[in-house]
Amino acid sequence: MEVCYQLPVLPLDRPVPKHVLSRRGAISFSSSSSLFGAPDPRQLSQRRGAISYDSSDQTALYIRMLARLGRGSTSGSSAPERRVHRLLSFQRYLHSSRLLRGVPQQIPLHILDEDYTGQARCMLEKVGNWNFDIFLFDRLTNGNSLITLTFHLLNQYGLVELFQLDMVKLWRFLVMVQEDYHSDNPYHNAVHAADVTQAMYCYMREPLLAKSLTSCDILLGLLAAATHDLDHPGVNQPFLIKTDHYLATLYRNTSVLENHHWKSAVGLLRETGLFSHLPAEDSLNMERELGSLILATDISRQNEYLSRFRLHLDQENMCMSNASHRHFILQMALKCADICNPCRPWELSKQWSEKVTEEFFQQGEIEKKHKLEVSPLCDREANTVGNIQIGFMTYVAEPLFAEWARFSDTRLSQTMLGHMGLNKASWGGLQQEQTSVSEEAEPSTAGAEAEDDAARTDGNTATTAGGTSSKEIPQGSRKS
């Protein structure tokens, strides 16, 4: 069902409403509130941390660790040191700190000129196309691709009206979600989340899913896609574990990042009260199912999900009228959306490949600087974009998308497999070119080194005969 809507516009000559910028920060508490006790109903609009208001799920430990992390950071330290010391610190905690210091918070507002708004609207008319250029869309929306895309899709499905979602709460939720992605991450940022959300929409439009998914399934699928990497630090789970990061301790080294993304999303749902009008049991169930979807994106559990998927397909017992089977398919769809970059057209896929590899290499540089063992694929000197991508396609992407094509044998599935084959061949060709250039450079380099050796030998002979060697003269002190 198509629903007409008007995106909120905040005039430049008017201060931003408090309901948009009112952020309490993940460790900000009222002096009258109790850390361990039940929250005062009058204060539910204030921040209680990104996990829950219930102390039974380790909120107290979470908050104490966040507070200790915040006290441990020093404003005088260098940027790289701050990144290590406060790695994975909450974006909203940092925003809160700025507000407490009286510095105005910088949140990009959805204010576009008419030309750009019109172009973005034209792109949204083709949001179901697999070649949708999320990078262009992000530029046309002034960096607000995640907010605009998710808002549009929720309205296009009629979910705002169906679930009676408050427009102000929804808008604030989406603004806060986009804000909590780290814009300085080359790959795991809000544009990646928007790209995954667009891919998830494409999968949910596939015939087998479109005729089976309920409105609740669709709402969860879109929200899970939009929040699946919320507050990602730009490093992987093994890094958090080997550095004894507090989140690794909190989640006992199991799906550390995915648990954090889920709990952060739940925190924003509760802070904005997006589902507060629903019965408590329904709201809690939505949160649990949201977590189940996000936890499925843990790449370390890839074989577990793939084996189960393959078994269902082999036994031909997938029943889309079964709620648990539909949920499992949503999990598989989100897993595909999360790693679909190799299946995009080359112009888009290449950009994503370069961005994710750069994020790997940045982690490797941090590890080298702090004398840690460099994680696999994170050594800039030992890896290339091409060999990383070819390996990823061969061992991770191809097996997953081959099974997805068995489940949903459609034009889209064949298109994705076709793009992946072409992209893999393109990376292979680039690898061969780089190898050829390196081999051609080696003989000339060897010849140049031989000439340098001969020159040094001649020079040493001359200076030995004439007196002082030129190597003994400090740089910058040689007289003409």
Side-chain angles (χ1 to χ4, degrees):
M1 177 175 60
E2 188 80 24
V3 179
C4 296
Y5 61 93
Q6 179 69 39
L7 295 179
V9 176
L10 304 178
L12 287 170
D13 59 350
R14 196 175 300 172
V16 181
K18 291 183 179 179
H19 67 259
V20 174
L21 294 184
S22 177
R23 303 295 298 276
R24 293 290 185 259
I27 59 171
S28 176
F29 294 90
S30 167
S31 59
S32 62
S33 64
S34 170
L35 182 60
F36 298 100
D40 187 334
R42 295 169 299 177
Q43 299 168 342
L44 287 182
S45 62
Q46 296 187 5
R47 198 81 175 200
R48 284 295 186 275
I51 291 187
S52 166
Y53 301 120
D54 182 2
S55 61
S56 65
D57 65 355
Q58 296 181 297
T59 303
L61 173 62
Y62 191 80
I63 297 303
R64 287 200 301 273
M65 286 180 168
L66 274 178
R68 190 159 58 247
L69 181 70
R71 290 195 298 270
S73 62
T74 57
S75 58
S77 59
S78 65
E81 289 173 343
R82 284 201 303 272
R83 181 172 183 183
V84 173
H85 292 160
R86 297 190 321 198
L87 203 54
L88 199 63
S89 60
F90 283 90
Q91 292 284 78
R92 50 189 168 279
Y93 166 70
L94 300 179
H95 291 322
S96 174
S97 299
R98 294 191 192 105
L99 290 173
L100 290 173
R101 291 198 299 268
V103 180
Q105 185 178 0
Q106 300 298 319
I107 296 180
L109 303 179
H110 190 83
I111 302 174
L112 308 172
D113 59 49
E114 291 184 1
D115 290 338
Y116 275 73
T117 304
Q119 293 178 55
R121 187 180 296 114
C122 288
M123 287 195 70
L124 285 175
E125 293 175 359
K126 300 179 180 179
V127 69
N129 290 359
W130 187 246
N131 60 352
F132 188 87
D133 188 342
I134 197 65
F135 299 110
L136 174 60
F137 186 71
D138 192 62
R139 293 193 294 272
L140 293 176
T141 56
N142 197 30
N144 290 303
S145 56
L146 181 58
I147 297 173
T148 311
L149 180 73
T150 309
F151 195 94
H152 171 78
L153 294 177
L154 291 172
N155 274 281
Q156 181 165 295
Y157 275 113
L159 299 174
V160 175
E161 181 180 3
L162 183 63
F163 287 91
Q164 299 182 343
L165 301 179
D166 183 278
M167 292 290 283
V168 172
K169 291 179 179 179
L170 174 61
W171 187 256
R172 185 173 177 232
F173 171 77
L174 294 176
V175 168
M176 292 165 75
V177 166
Q178 180 174 279
E179 182 185 78
D180 279 1
Y181 278 95
H182 298 206
S183 59
D184 56 346
N185 287 345
Y187 181 80
H188 288 104
N189 51 43
V191 183
H192 165 66
D195 185 61
V196 172
T197 304
Q198 189 271 337
M200 191 67 170
Y201 171 66
C202 290
Y203 298 151
M204 291 194 299
R205 294 175 72 231
E206 291 286 77
L208 278 176
L209 280 74
K211 67 183 182 182
S212 305
L213 296 179
T214 66
S215 297
C216 186
D217 294 331
I218 295 170
L219 177 62
L220 284 169
L222 293 175
L223 292 182
T227 61
H228 81 283
D229 273 331
L230 195 61
D231 198 32
H232 197 292
V235 294
N236 58 21
Q237 175 173 294
F239 181 93
L240 300 179
I241 292 174
K242 69 184 178 185
T243 55
D244 294 324
H245 195 273
Y246 71 96
L247 285 179
T249 302
L250 182 63
Y251 297 117
R252 301 179 182 179
N253 300 343
T254 303
S255 298
V256 175
L257 287 170
E258 291 73 25
N259 270 297
H260 177 59
H261 304 324
W262 168 34
K263 297 298 186 178
S264 297
V266 169
L268 294 186
L269 285 172
R270 294 188 177 190
E271 178 174 352
T272 58
L274 185 61
F275 294 152
S276 61
H277 62 291
L278 300 177
E281 184 177 350
D282 292 346
S283 180
L284 288 173
N285 188 56
M286 295 274 279
E287 293 175 0
R288 282 192 295 268
E289 294 200 0
L290 181 69
S292 177
L293 292 174
I294 293 175
L295 289 173
T297 63
D298 184 352
I299 200 69
S300 68
R301 299 179 62 190
Q302 177 84 351
N303 289 336
E304 171 190 337
Y305 282 92
L306 191 57
S307 297
R308 182 181 167 192
F309 194 31
R310 188 177 290 124
L311 183 63
H312 275 300
L313 296 175
D314 290 343
Q315 296 180 350
E316 299 182 353
N317 62 356
M318 187 68 70
C319 179
M320 294 300 287
S321 61
N322 184 307
S324 63
H325 285 196
R326 287 199 311 274
H327 185 76
F328 177 68
I329 290 301
L330 277 181
Q331 289 178 316
M332 298 307 300
L334 184 57
K335 287 179 68 62
C336 288
D338 190 26
I339 63 169
C340 72
N341 304 146
C343 302
R344 296 285 192 179
W346 171 251
E347 295 77 13
L348 300 175
S349 179
K350 184 173 182 288
Q351 292 184 68
W352 284 121
S353 298
E354 291 169 346
K355 289 176 181 296
V356 71
T357 306
E358 179 58 29
E359 192 166 293
F360 290 163
F361 290 163
Q362 287 185 8
Q363 175 179 322
E365 288 164 0
I366 295 174
E367 291 168 331
K368 287 180 181 178
K369 178 177 180 179
H370 294 274
K371 296 179 171 52
L372 300 170
E373 181 183 356
V374 179
S375 300
L377 310 181
C378 294
D379 191 340
R380 193 184 297 271
E381 298 175 1
N383 297 279
T384 65
V385 179
N387 64 32
I388 290 175
Q389 288 306 304
I390 291 173
F392 181 77
M393 292 183 202
T394 301
Y395 299 108
V396 180
E398 286 178 346
L400 176 62
F401 284 95
E403 297 304 320
W404 180 262
R406 285 180 62 197
F407 166 71
S408 178
D409 187 10
T410 63
R411 182 178 178 181
L412 174 59
S413 294
Q414 297 308 314
T415 297
M416 292 192 296
L417 291 175
H419 282 315
M420 182 155 50
L422 292 172
N423 293 338
K424 188 175 181 180
S426 296
W427 284 118
L430 289 176
Q431 287 288 93
Q432 288 182 349
E433 290 179 13
Q434 293 172 358
T435 302
S436 299
V437 171
S438 300
E439 290 175 351
E440 290 175 1
E442 285 177 1
S444 60
T445 303
E449 290 176 351
E451 291 178 4
D452 290 343
D453 290 341
R456 282 195 294 270
T457 302
D458 292 342
N460 289 339
T461 303
T463 53
T464 302
T468 306
S469 169
S470 64
K471 290 198 296 182
E472 297 175 357
I473 300 175
Q475 291 294 321
S477 62
R478 182 181 299 166
K479 296 180 181 180
S480 57

